[in-house]
Amino acid sequence: MVDQKIVLALKFLLLVLFFESTFEQQQQERLSSPIERAALLELRSSLGLRSKDWPIKADPCSVWNGIKCENGSVSEINISGFRRTRLGSQNPQFRVDSLVNLTRLKSFNASGFYLPGSIPDWFGQRLVSLQVLDLSSCLISNAIPGSLGNLTSLTGLYLYDNNFTGMIPSNLGLLAGLSVLDLSANMFTGSIPVSFGSLQNLTRLDISMNFLSGSIPLGIGMLSKLQYLNLSTNGLSSSIPPQLGDLSNLADFDLSFNNLSGSLPAELRGLRKLQRMLIGNNLLGGSIPVNLFPVPSQLQTVVLKHNGFNGPVPSVLWSIPQLRLLDISGNNFTGMLPNSSLNANASAAELNVSQNLLYGGLTPTLGRFLVIDLSGNYFEGPIPDYVRDNASLVSNCLQNLSNQRSLLDCTSFYTAKGLTFDNFGLPNSTQPPAGGSTGKNNKKVIILASAFGALGLILLLVILLVLLLFCIRKRGTTTQRGVAVGVGPATPVPSGSSPPPPGVSIDLSSLGDAFTYQQLLLATGDFRDVNLINHGHSGDLYKGILESGIPVVIKKVDLQSHSKEAYLLELDVFSKVSHSRDVQASSILLDDKFEVRLGSLSEVCIQEGDIHQSRISRLLRLPQSLEQGSSGSLTNSCAYDVYCFGKVLLELVTGKLGISASSDAQLKEFLEQILPYISIYDKELVIKIVDPSLMIDEDLLEEVWAMAIVARSCLNPKPSRRPLMRYILKALENPLKVVREEHSGSARLRTTSSRSWNASVFGSWRHSSSDVTVIPATSSARPEGGSSFKQSGASNSMGSGGQNGSGGQNGSGGHSSSRRRHSGEIFPEPFDEQDVERQN
């Protein structure tokens, strides 16, 4: 009994002490300055913050979310992830003037909170106590004020994923205490400031995904504490400075997607702590220095793809124990695979050596890789079991495998290297021996070759003459009968009509079999109206069934009302392309398996002024109101395809039929109503616009959400900001990755190989968020964070408040983005929109 009383007494004493401690702590954390309290209330009002986060009657230091105080003064403000009130979200602005009265403020974090507008110049003049400034993903625009160079106490500056323009201020080089500088995913132009070489405490520098040009400053190599360097996805040129080899603490090195040239400097072997090296998609060349990669090495990711490297692959690359990704595709590397079984146990490593000049047999070295791409080389011999099920092997010289190179191609390659090709493992090889022969034999071979060559030349000339006479006779017959090309005889041409235009040479072999007019009549039931699909610009489309039971679509062209030139041009187009680049729902014909079989030619535009005036340069029209700034180049043609495809996707999501064929005014009105409900941050919003006839569960809703996000990115008013179609295809093949990986957290992003899937596929889309803003400012349904789909990988691992600039995180999976270069993969032809004329 006595023991129980003692225990109760002790519990009561501990409870009293706990409450006293809590009370004293609250007393210490209470805001003592009425000026600062008034400043916080003004900030609450100007930003439209909800009372849920900042209750007006409570003490800010002890109750308000995101507020920290020291000695009775506000030291930290974190509004990241906050949502505005309904009234505040109607007109969000960069209105934080009251911060000037918080004289002891050390950290201000508004990442992900919309602050449209410019950073005021007084930021760098009044907030002198700031140590961390995080304004990432805030939709801030215009230039960075040079006054930020006065914030000499700053250790972390996060301005990524905004719409900053102009040049990067050289005054930022005055921030000597800066540890982290992230300016990625913006629209900066000009060169990298030379003053950055003075940031001796910098551990992390990310200025990727901008429009920077010029060379890499040599002073970057003096930043001895630098652990993360990302200059990717810009327009940097010249060579890689050898001074970068002095960055002995560097762990992550990304120079990919630039215009860097020259060879890799051997001095880069000084990067002994390097874990990720990404220098793909540049103009680099030459051989790789033998001792470039140190032994032992900590490398986990090496990407050298799409350059001009040649010579052998350094042997050390095959034996790095921690290697998870090796991508040297799209170069001119040559040589054989090392015949070593070291570390041959299969792991999660990935190997891509496609599109090179590698040859020889497949060796046990490949056994350590789980995913392998060897396509586009000259490998020969049998296929080992450890490669057969997990490798892409097309376009090689391998045995017992389809889709390989021709015998002539393989034999020529190996003979040029003084080697003997194995003839795909078949006997009776017809190729000559690799070794030499006597001079007498060589002389006989030369004489025989000359004789047979002369005989072959004479025979060839005779054949050409016969073919020429045959073509002349056939052309005369064709002129009398009319233009009967490919799919059946056309309507007879009057005798006074002109012959087909010169320069139009059409290969009709790719159009399929030829049919008689009687066969077409039988297939369509004499072209009855019941089989009419649509009235086209140059003729009517009919459905039909051939005698073999195959369903077909037949286009009936009236040459009385349409010129033969237009008809021939259309046939020429169909012989070269699989569809024709007018994307709207009414132009897409599907078979019973929902496979696209035929599109319609709405317009065929010829390029006037060209020496070959029948050359087709464009197949699409460009509405002026929604395609501002279009030059008519092939780049913009492809971008317009993407724009039209986005309309079709949106039509599928919403069930609003006719969107893809609506007028510009109707489309603009529709987008103003729909786009506020498509947000990467809020899945539930999309329910308000989804086709009500769709029966969707949670997983299917995510797919619809992802499709809506893809559609929104396609509808960017700026053609250069729309994603490439191959990225759209990759997204639609696995739509859940669009939304799930974006929210998978920094831990996962840090473990991805070269860069996160989402960043590689959607990096070029991230700059499109603010451009897809046709939403009026009065829209109250627009969610906070709802229109910014571009977000650099750093946003998942850095800059989320309370980060004091340690910057030593090695997680960088998503820090790179896909290419935003306007001409890297598309080669435009000149085009004048005034020369557009309807041909179909």
Side-chain angles (χ1 to χ4, degrees), residues 310-598:
N310 53 39
V313 180
S315 58
V316 68
L317 282 179
W318 304 104
S319 58
I320 298 176
Q322 300 180 6
L323 194 65
R324 293 293 175 265
L325 172 65
L326 174 59
D327 190 344
I328 60 172
S329 60
N331 283 284
N332 296 311
F333 286 114
T334 188
M336 299 184 179
L337 298 176
N339 191 12
S340 171
S341 58
L342 182 65
N343 297 323
N345 295 328
S347 63
E350 180 179 346
L351 173 68
N352 189 343
V353 297
S354 63
Q355 306 304 320
N356 279 286
L357 301 174
L358 302 174
Y359 57 92
L362 306 184
T363 67
T365 300
L366 301 175
R368 65 170 297 194
F369 297 99
L370 186 63
V371 180
I372 304 173
D373 191 346
L374 306 179
S375 60
N377 285 282
Y378 289 87
F379 291 114
E380 66 172 353
I383 305 171
D385 292 336
Y386 52 79
V387 176
R388 187 175 300 274
D389 297 329
N390 61 346
S392 175
L393 304 173
V394 300
S395 192
N396 276 285
C397 304
L398 296 166
Q399 299 177 10
N400 302 318
L401 193 66
S402 60
N403 298 320
Q404 299 297 290
R405 295 182 184 271
S406 67
L407 175 62
L408 178 61
D409 193 3
C410 295
T411 302
S412 301
F413 179 85
Y414 277 87
T415 302
K417 292 187 174 296
L419 301 173
T420 302
F421 176 52
D422 65 2
N423 195 39
F424 299 107
L426 301 175
N428 302 323
S429 175
T430 58
Q431 77 172 67
S437 60
T438 63
K440 185 176 181 180
N441 290 336
N442 286 338
K443 186 174 181 180
K444 290 181 178 179
V445 170
I446 293 175
I447 293 175
L448 289 174
S450 301
F452 282 114
L455 182 61
L457 180 60
I458 294 174
L459 183 61
L460 178 63
L461 291 175
V462 172
I463 293 174
L464 289 177
L465 181 60
V466 172
L467 289 176
L468 180 61
L469 293 174
F470 178 77
C471 291
I472 292 175
R473 289 189 61 188
K474 189 172 182 180
R475 174 173 295 181
T477 304
T478 303
T479 304
Q480 294 176 2
R481 294 183 180 179
V483 184
V485 187
V487 295
T491 305
V493 181
S495 57
S497 299
S498 59
V504 179
S505 178
I506 305 175
D507 179 13
L508 300 175
S509 61
S510 62
L511 292 178
D513 299 328
F515 301 95
T516 66
Y517 189 68
Q518 293 301 323
Q519 286 177 302
L520 301 184
L521 288 175
L522 181 63
T524 59
D526 294 330
F527 293 103
R528 293 178 182 171
D529 290 342
V530 69
N531 292 321
L532 179 65
I533 297 176
N534 190 21
H535 293 289
H537 293 281
S538 61
D540 298 332
L541 291 176
Y542 292 85
K543 64 181 178 181
I545 304 293
L546 299 179
E547 293 174 311
S548 60
I550 299 176
V552 294
V553 175
I554 300 173
K555 186 166 188 175
K556 184 180 180 182
V557 180
D558 183 8
L559 291 185
Q560 302 294 337
S561 58
H562 292 82
S563 66
K564 289 177 295 183
E565 290 84 353
Y567 176 51
L568 291 175
L569 284 174
E570 180 169 342
L571 286 177
D572 190 28
V573 172
F574 276 123
S575 69
K576 292 182 172 65
V577 298
S578 58
H579 76 89
S580 50
R581 290 171 195 77
D582 188 13
V583 185
Q584 54 180 278
S586 61
S587 299
I588 303 173
L589 303 181
L590 307 177
D591 62 11
D592 57 346
K593 296 180 181 178
F594 293 94
E595 293 287 340
V596 177
R597 291 302 180 192
L598 183 68

Side-chain angles (χ1 to χ4, degrees), residues 642-643 645-651 653 671 675 678 705-716 723 728 732 765 772:
V642 172
Y643 186 88
F645 187 72
K647 294 192 291 184
V648 174
L649 285 181
L650 213 56
E651 189 166 338
V653 171
L671 293 181
L675 292 187
I678 303 177
W705 181 31
M707 184 180 291
I709 292 171
V710 172
R712 177 171 187 153
S713 300
C714 295
L715 292 171
N716 195 302
I728 300 172
L732 295 180
W765 303 6
V772 192

Side-chain angles (χ1 to χ4, degrees), residues 28-34 36-37 40 60-61 67-77 101-106:
Q28 293 175 357
E29 291 180 352
R30 291 186 66 84
L31 185 61
S32 60
S33 171
E36 292 193 2
R37 178 178 177 82
L40 289 177
C61 291
I67 298 294
K68 290 186 179 180
C69 298
E70 292 180 3
N71 300 321
S73 294
V74 178
S75 60
E76 295 184 20
I77 297 179
N101 294 319
L102 304 177
T103 56
R104 298 184 181 180
L105 187 64
K106 295 180 180 179

Side-chain angles (χ1 to χ4, degrees), residues 160-217:
Y160 62 83
D161 191 26
N162 281 290
N163 297 313
F164 288 113
T165 57
M167 302 180 66
I168 299 176
S170 59
N171 286 0
L172 297 184
L174 301 176
L175 304 177
L178 204 61
S179 176
V180 178
L181 177 58
D182 194 337
L183 306 176
S184 62
N186 281 287
M187 293 182 284
F188 291 117
T189 56
S191 58
I192 302 175
V194 178
S195 60
F196 278 12
S198 302
L199 303 176
Q200 294 297 310
N201 288 307
L202 208 60
T203 61
R204 182 182 184 88
L205 176 60
D206 191 345
I207 49 179
S208 62
M209 295 164 54
N210 282 286
F211 297 99
L212 300 174
S213 57
S215 58
I216 300 174

Side-chain angles (χ1 to χ4, degrees), residues 618-648:
R618 297 212 37 227
L619 304 175
L620 298 171
R621 62 183 185 275
L622 291 177
Q624 294 301 311
S625 59
L626 291 181
E627 288 289 271
Q628 297 175 358
S630 296
S631 64
S633 68
L634 185 54
T635 304
N636 287 322
S637 300
C638 295
Y640 181 64
D641 273 348
V642 172
Y643 186 88
C644 294
F645 187 72
K647 294 192 291 184
V648 174

